[in-house]
Amino acid sequence: MLSQADLDLLTQTGPGTPMGNLLRRFWVPALLPSELPEGDCPPVRLRMMSEDLIAWRNTDGSLGCMQNACPHRGASMFFGRNEENGLRCVYHGWKFDAEGMCIDMPNEPAESNFKHKIKATAYPLADWGGAIWIYMGPKELQPELPQFEWCLLPPEQRVVSKWLQDCNFAQGVEGDLDTTHVSFMHRVFDISNDNPGRRVNKQGKAMIHADGSPVLTVKETDYGFCYGARRHADDGDYYWRVTQYLQPFYSMIPSPNNTRSGGCWIPTDDTHCTGWRYSYDIANPIPAERRVAAGGVPRLIPGTFKCLANAENDYTIDRQMQKTFNYTGILNIREQDTLGTESMGPIMDRTKEHLGTADSAVILMRRQLMRMARQLQAGQEPYSANHGEVYRVRALDEVDAAADLGGLITRYENEMLRAVTR
Amino acid sequence: MLSQADLDLLTQTGPGTPMGNLLRRFWVPALLPSELPEGDCPPVRLRMMSEDLIAWRNTDGSLGCMQNACPHRGASMFFGRNEENGLRCVYHGWKFDAEGMCIDMPNEPAESNFKHKIKATAYPLADWGGAIWIYMGPKELQPELPQFEWCLLPPEQRVVSKWLQDCNFAQGVEGDLDTTHVSFMHRVFDISNDNPGRRVNKQGKAMIHADGSPVLTVKETDYGFCYGARRHADDGDYYWRVTQYLQPFYSMIPSPNNTRSGGCWIPTDDTHCTGWRYSYDIANPIPAERRVAAGGVPRLIPGTFKCLANAENDYTIDRQMQKTFNYTGILNIREQDTLGTESMGPIMDRTKEHLGTADSAVILMRRQLMRMARQLQAGQEPYSANHGEVYRVRALDEVDAAADLGGLITRYENEMLRAVTR
Amino acid sequence: MLSQADLDLLTQTGPGTPMGNLLRRFWVPALLPSELPEGDCPPVRLRMMSEDLIAWRNTDGSLGCMQNACPHRGASMFFGRNEENGLRCVYHGWKFDAEGMCIDMPNEPAESNFKHKIKATAYPLADWGGAIWIYMGPKELQPELPQFEWCLLPPEQRVVSKWLQDCNFAQGVEGDLDTTHVSFMHRVFDISNDNPGRRVNKQGKAMIHADGSPVLTVKETDYGFCYGARRHADDGDYYWRVTQYLQPFYSMIPSPNNTRSGGCWIPTDDTHCTGWRYSYDIANPIPAERRVAAGGVPRLIPGTFKCLANAENDYTIDRQMQKTFNYTGILNIREQDTLGTESMGPIMDRTKEHLGTADSAVILMRRQLMRMARQLQAGQEPYSANHGEVYRVRALDEVDAAADLGGLITRYENEMLRAVTR
């Protein structure tokens, strides 16, 4: 349960807010490369932490991003002409480069120096790991990019996807750090159908469904924390799932094979966010026929990033299916999650919640984020933002006799704490 | 004309408001039984006086109603699993009974006592008279149900209906206590067509349309007030209509035959309400072929309780019909009323109205409601909420020589003041 | 760049605001005559400067306009019965004349004098120059109508049109006073296609497109100001366009032939306005086949005044067309303008703009409006509102050797400063 002040601190990310300042210290996923497929293609709208921006790809293939409103008289640069390495407003022809400099002002006298006084807000973009990232913080503090394994792998070994969600970003992050909901929300009743790809016990049941109240242990690290869920497995062994929270909004999800995945939640504004999913095979290319399923994302309305299953259609719940086939009556796992995080309301009122021991990772994530935001207010820069190498970790899905997280970490330290050398 | 303070007092019914507190002392119609047709059927959303609730029917047929937001992390209980006499959140499996007690918490360790600390807001529901009623007040003050004649009759003698309206509840109540609008808004021009079922004069004209400025008399009673409208009838007699206002939001409407009806207006929130209509035959079953018409409700968008004729389509007004056939150019009487009450705005600004003698019942209803709300603030419980028997009254439609309401009441006291013994 | 206080002063026009008070001193275009085609036709809704009104045409053909909310209990007069020279509320039959007097109150006793106490807010309307105008100021200050040339011409020589726009009125006015945007926003690439009807140079290129950074001169007058844009033309001559700003929101646009046009922007409320366009031929009737094109308005959704090309469909921008055919990728010139003025946001934030020398007319218009609003607060009535004859001016499109506006005005003074005698 949070105080109203902490709730505001956690959830408000607009310009000048403490959490907004913190998040702006990090590179953040913003667009899919397919949204800006080639030089001089149409610019795209981008709303990030309550700022309206326009992104474009220059003639030479490089990327640009500036404020939506033309500095002159405020017309939207979305309608601009993307030409000759700059974006030109269609109202009076003012042209801007990727630094936000006004490089042409054809409606003023040639001798005018006015254009040299005009500087639009602009942010650097970077093509990295199958996404286009943005850095919205102070120029002199621009850090290196986070060295996620999925970013370091060749493109054919990963699938990166995104979609829009109608809630605050923190609800999304909380959902990814919530191991026990998997045992309920994502349960299917017929064990022969019990979430293919999951580790199964001798009875053929997914281990994650077989024990709904795992023992949880959390350990803080330089990237955030790792978080072990210990469930009873066969023959006295434990089924361990160790996942990571990586500051400020990333998660890692394990599987028993070579597949790994995870997600992050980027604030659009305080009541909307973009969900991202990265799935990757640590050893082999993902065949074309498996790439869509590998995405593991909600169904989208064609031509958009909006979810087909949403609050207006009750997430396509089928009450008959809910009685006979699975827990929610909704087929798509990610749509089940969307139901969970969106139906809490645009900004979940955490002054009224009741958290249990199963919510320890949720609690710690909030504490870390709020602590870092306050430290930044006091002048202390976030460590992880400036150390891309700490993101080189993997989640773990293992049956093991280790009784505590410490023991497990000793064995798998390379993967879980700072591993993955490439 | 009200002060702004009185306007707020009259119209605001959220938790903790004086009028909200008053209305929560009464049982209130909430759902049609057909919305919860059988045990373990899908739960339904219910918004009452700005509170978001979920209602369900247990396996054993009994009813439950609790807050929409799961006490754990706020996911909507609407998507919950209604099973084995309780509603279970699909996020982490927490299960609640009709008292709001958490009776299962499968994602916490078995030894945890956490579930015993969790109590959701829950309200009792009651199947009564063709509606499902809710009581949202203090548990220790829960009163008996109001003994309306239509509730006491066998089901085949009544029709109960509801629909959604986009305005504050008080506007709906005012509309039901406004006898003179019937002479105008509901007028048809061809007297052979003049509202079948109404009492007609020797010229074949509905008496209620023949005299548009009746003499009104109001008499306060223990249930609210009765209210006589005296119109000129044939041969020096008077056409009397005596109707009731029953606290806090009911009305009774008479007819010259065995049919009676009335309505009430339940706050959804401060700018929306649910209109209810009860029609009943005091002597005989209503035949199947007359049950729809007997409802006397607006046309609904199929599968919803939303009105087909609404502000967006100008209530389907037909200007040619308005010139030649009836006063409004709208066929359905209840849609005519909706036009009247909704077009005043979401909360009618009563600081700018100009009330005449024809509005005496409207004025008295407001006074009673505001007086009771203030008395409750001062510690005085409302009498009518705790005396279900005072609702055993009937409206009157009669031609009589009585010149004043007192005389009429003497003659019909049993019906109008506390009558109807069954 | 404006302070927030000046921004509010400029853009807020509701009852009691300084700018609202100023604009209410003028007659203002409100409706097209075709919206009230004949006596006793259906009344129409009219929202003007945040006031909700209903206009109607009486049985005798005269016009009436009153508050939307019936003074009795607030039902909308839109649904009223327009009959026998008055508008009658359908709720209780109260009837009002064009002065707002209650002339019938049939639901009150005949002897009641209540109706004489009821006076609705009513405003005079006037049929003038192909529009219906409204005056919403103090009755004792009602001025004469402005003597625009298009109002004085016979109907067959003019086309008057209107449409709805989703932004503050001042953005519309600014767009009409912005000569340089024509060189960019309205440019087509193929000079054989270069905006037919424009004055072309020896190379066949529209002169207004050939020089995008004209020298601008502004001269204040009793109607507002005239504003000369001097572009380089052939052989050392200048291409002059001299247009007018006429208080409070009118503009004049020249052409090289007998056609003239212009527009004005009427506040619906602070975030919506109605755009008007008047096109006229100063010498001859406009043939039927040219009247639609002469309107020069955006495409409308049939049966409405809403624009087909709007923010929801990105103004029907075609990115391929934008690369190859014209500057915006949008065909309709007025829709190009709509993009410019609407995409600034509902109320353009002028605390963040950067105005150059090309914006001198925009700057002066704001100054005049704010100055007049402040003067009115100090008790000084606006001169132009009370001198209809100052509106008898014409815009100029001419190739001339005059090097400064003064010289040009000397030659064309009759047309530009107070001319057009009829």
Side-chain angles (χ1 to χ4, degrees), chain C residues 361-387:
Chain C
V362 166
I363 292 166
L364 183 56
M365 176 276 290
R366 294 179 188 173
R367 268 193 208 142
Q368 285 197 354
L369 272 185
M370 293 191 289
R371 186 176 66 210
M372 285 195 293
R374 288 197 183 97
Q375 286 172 340
L376 182 59
Q377 280 187 292
Q380 184 181 335
E381 292 293 326
Y383 180 86
S384 51
N386 293 287
H387 293 81

Side-chain angles (χ1 to χ4, degrees), chain A residues 71-72 94 102 105 107-119, chain C residues 1 353-359:
Chain A
H72 178 210
W94 290 22
C102 183
M105 192 183 274
N107 77 323
E108 288 287 328
E111 65 278 14
S112 163
N113 273 318
F114 191 40
K115 79 173 175 191
H116 299 299
K117 298 182 184 160
I118 302 300
K119 170 94 173 67
Chain C
M1 207 174 286
E353 69 190 356
H354 294 85
L355 300 185
T357 60
D359 301 299

Side-chain angles (χ1 to χ4, degrees), chain B residues 114-136:
Chain B
F114 191 40
K115 80 173 175 192
H116 300 299
K117 298 182 185 161
I118 302 300
K119 170 93 172 67
T121 298
Y123 297 120
L125 300 180
D127 248 315
W128 173 238
I132 295 175
W133 301 61
I134 191 169
Y135 173 71
M136 297 169 69

Side-chain angles (χ1 to χ4, degrees), chain B residues 11-193:
Chain B
T11 57
Q12 296 177 357
T13 64
T17 58
M19 189 59 68
N21 288 342
L22 175 67
L23 298 186
R24 282 169 177 77
R25 291 303 202 264
F26 292 82
W27 280 98
V28 173
L31 296 167
L32 291 174
S34 57
E35 296 180 73
L36 290 174
E38 59 183 14
D40 291 345
C41 64
V44 297
R45 293 185 182 94
L46 177 61
R47 186 166 162 84
M48 297 289 285
M49 307 188 223
S50 305
E51 293 185 52
D52 283 311
L53 309 171
I54 301 295
W56 75 93
R57 194 178 286 278
N58 281 316
T59 316
D60 63 12
S62 64
L63 294 161
C65 182
M66 66 175 282
Q67 65 187 65
N68 172 57
C70 177
H72 178 210
R73 295 213 9 247
S76 170
M77 297 297 298
F78 170 75
F79 301 98
R81 301 182 58 82
N82 181 11
E83 57 191 16
E84 295 169 19
N85 291 320
L87 191 62
R88 198 185 274 283
C89 180
V90 291
Y91 209 175
H92 302 87
W94 290 21
K95 184 176 176 181
F96 297 87
D97 69 10
E99 309 291 317
M101 306 306 301
C102 183
I103 54 176
D104 193 22
M105 193 183 274
N107 77 322
E108 287 287 329
E111 65 279 14
S112 162
N113 273 319
F114 191 40
K115 80 173 175 192
H116 300 299
K117 298 182 185 161
I118 302 300
K119 170 93 172 67
T121 298
Y123 297 120
L125 300 180
D127 248 315
W128 173 238
I132 295 175
W133 301 61
I134 191 169
Y135 173 71
M136 297 169 69
K139 201 174 176 56
E140 66 280 10
L141 295 176
Q142 182 174 324
E144 57 180 359
L145 286 149
Q147 297 173 31
F148 285 105
E149 183 171 20
W150 55 277
C151 294
L152 297 162
L153 286 169
E156 60 273 19
Q157 286 178 239
R158 70 175 169 242
V159 178
V160 180
S161 317
K162 78 169 200 181
W163 67 95
L164 304 175
Q165 196 146 328
D166 292 336
C167 67
N168 185 270
F169 84 103
Q171 285 157 236
V173 183
E174 289 169 352
D176 280 348
L177 301 177
D178 173 19
T179 196
T180 73
H181 86 276
V182 182
S183 307
F184 303 96
M185 178 167 264
H186 301 324
R187 184 185 296 173
V188 293
F189 300 142
D190 177 358
I191 62 170
S192 71
N193 223 329

Side-chain angles (χ1 to χ4, degrees), chain C residues 52-326:
Chain C
D52 284 311
L53 308 171
I54 301 295
W56 75 94
R57 194 178 287 278
N58 281 315
T59 317
D60 64 10
S62 64
L63 294 161
C65 183
M66 67 174 281
Q67 64 188 64
N68 172 57
C70 177
H72 178 209
R73 295 211 11 246
S76 170
M77 297 298 297
F78 170 75
F79 301 97
R81 302 181 57 81
N82 181 10
E83 57 190 18
E84 294 169 18
N85 291 319
L87 191 62
R88 197 185 276 282
C89 180
V90 291
Y91 209 176
H92 302 88
W94 291 21
K95 184 177 177 181
F96 297 86
D97 69 11
E99 309 290 318
M101 306 305 300
C102 183
I103 54 175
D104 193 22
M105 191 182 275
N107 76 322
E108 288 287 330
E111 65 278 14
S112 162
N113 272 319
F114 191 41
K115 80 173 174 191
H116 298 299
K117 298 182 184 160
I118 303 300
K119 169 96 172 65
T121 298
Y123 297 120
L125 299 180
D127 248 316
W128 173 239
I132 295 175
W133 302 60
I134 191 170
Y135 173 71
M136 297 170 68
K139 200 174 175 58
E140 67 280 11
L141 295 176
Q142 181 175 326
E144 57 179 359
L145 287 150
Q147 297 173 32
F148 285 105
E149 183 172 21
W150 54 276
C151 295
L152 297 162
L153 286 169
E156 60 274 18
Q157 285 178 240
R158 70 178 167 239
V159 177
V160 181
S161 317
K162 76 169 201 182
W163 66 95
L164 303 176
Q165 196 146 328
D166 291 337
C167 68
N168 185 271
F169 84 103
Q171 284 157 236
V173 183
E174 290 169 350
D176 280 348
L177 301 178
D178 174 19
T179 196
T180 74
H181 87 275
V182 182
S183 307
F184 303 96
M185 178 167 263
H186 301 324
R187 184 185 296 173
V188 293
F189 300 142
D190 177 358
I191 62 172
S192 70
N193 223 328
D194 197 356
N195 294 23
R198 294 196 186 278
R199 191 178 292 271
V200 297
N201 63 16
K202 287 179 180 166
Q203 291 74 43
K205 187 166 175 62
M207 286 187 176
I208 200 169
H209 293 168
D211 181 354
S213 54
V215 175
L216 306 181
T217 323
V218 166
K219 179 178 167 52
E220 296 205 54
T221 65
D222 47 10
Y223 55 74
F225 58 80
C226 77
Y227 154 59
R230 193 190 78 185
R231 287 171 168 86
H232 290 285
D234 303 298
D235 304 324
D237 271 355
Y238 293 112
Y239 170 48
W240 276 97
R241 284 170 67 84
V242 187
T243 61
Q244 287 93 353
Y245 161 68
L246 305 113
Q247 293 155 356
F249 35 47
Y250 302 91
S251 65
M252 292 291 186
I253 297 175
S255 85
N257 52 39
N258 281 332
T259 304
R260 297 290 182 282
S261 63
C264 61
W265 302 86
I266 314 302
T268 306
D269 49 35
D270 291 347
T271 54
H272 300 82
C273 62
T274 301
W276 286 78
R277 216 76 200 161
Y278 31 86
S279 294
Y280 52 108
D281 189 303
I282 58 177
N284 304 298
I286 301 172
E289 67 272 17
R290 273 181 40 218
R291 293 186 67 84
V292 170
V297 295
R299 291 168 294 170
L300 299 182
I301 295 170
T304 78
F305 291 102
K306 292 180 188 167
C307 291
L308 201 85
N310 54 46
E312 283 187 28
N313 56 27
D314 292 337
Y315 304 95
T316 69
I317 191 172
D318 178 328
R319 296 287 186 179
Q320 190 56 33
M321 185 192 297
Q322 189 179 25
K323 286 212 179 291
T324 57
F325 180 74
N326 68 2

